[in-house]
Amino acid sequence: QVQLVESGGGLVQAGDSLRLSCAASGRTFSNYATGWFRQAPGKERDTVAAISRSGRSTYYAETVKGRFTISRDNAKNTVYLQMNSLKPEDTAVYYCAARYSGSYSYFTRPYDYNYWGQGTQVTVSS
């Protein structure tokens, strides 16, 4: 089992920055690929970014490319999502997720993951 706890969400204005953190416990974190997802009210859960277990490979949705950066610190069992130039359309509950990975790949679909955090709310006002 892997437990994930997100933090860092909040209410900001358009153009501001936030850094989300996801702390993991329970297993060897460096064996797990991770991802960030978001879900706005009435919408499906969308992929935001993903990172391989080593951190060397990353993926970004087109809507956040150039503004968001995913990273991880395996020594701290933590994955981060740095969000810059935030827009009102970034408003959502943000979730981190993890799955065991025997490769150096990232995974981009929500159903690729079997461990999820409880989510953290990000609200961007215009």
Side-chain angles (χ1 to χ4, degrees):
Q1 290 287 335
V2 174
Q3 293 79 41
L4 303 171
V5 179
E6 302 98 333
S7 62
L11 171 63
V12 296
Q13 293 185 333
D16 286 350
S17 298
L18 276 177
R19 187 175 82 156
L20 305 183
S21 299
C22 176
S25 62
R27 285 288 187 267
T28 303
F29 186 57
S30 59
N31 289 336
Y32 288 76
T34 58
W36 284 98
F37 301 82
R38 66 187 182 187
Q39 189 166 20
K43 296 188 176 181
E44 294 185 351
R45 189 168 296 189
D46 292 330
T47 306
V48 176
I51 190 166
S52 63
R53 66 180 192 177
S54 68
R56 280 180 280 187
S57 298
T58 57
Y59 164 86
Y60 297 95
E62 285 298 323
T63 52
V64 306
K65 196 174 290 185
R67 300 187 298 123
F68 291 12
T69 302
I70 188 171
S71 62
R72 64 189 295 161
D73 185 340
N74 286 339
K76 295 182 178 180
N77 290 350
T78 303
V79 62
Y80 304 97
L81 185 69
Q82 177 67 43
M83 305 186 294
N84 298 329
S85 302
L86 282 161
K87 304 175 181 179
E89 50 264 44
D90 294 318
T91 295
V93 177
Y94 283 70
Y95 299 90
C96 72
R99 60 158 286 163
Y100 179 82
S101 174
S103 71
Y104 297 103
S105 300
Y106 51 71
F107 301 87
T108 62
R109 300 167 298 188
Y111 60 79
D112 288 328
Y113 293 84
N114 51 351
Y115 298 106
W116 291 84
Q118 82 289 348
T120 185
Q121 177 71 46
V122 172
T123 303
V124 185
S125 63
S126 58

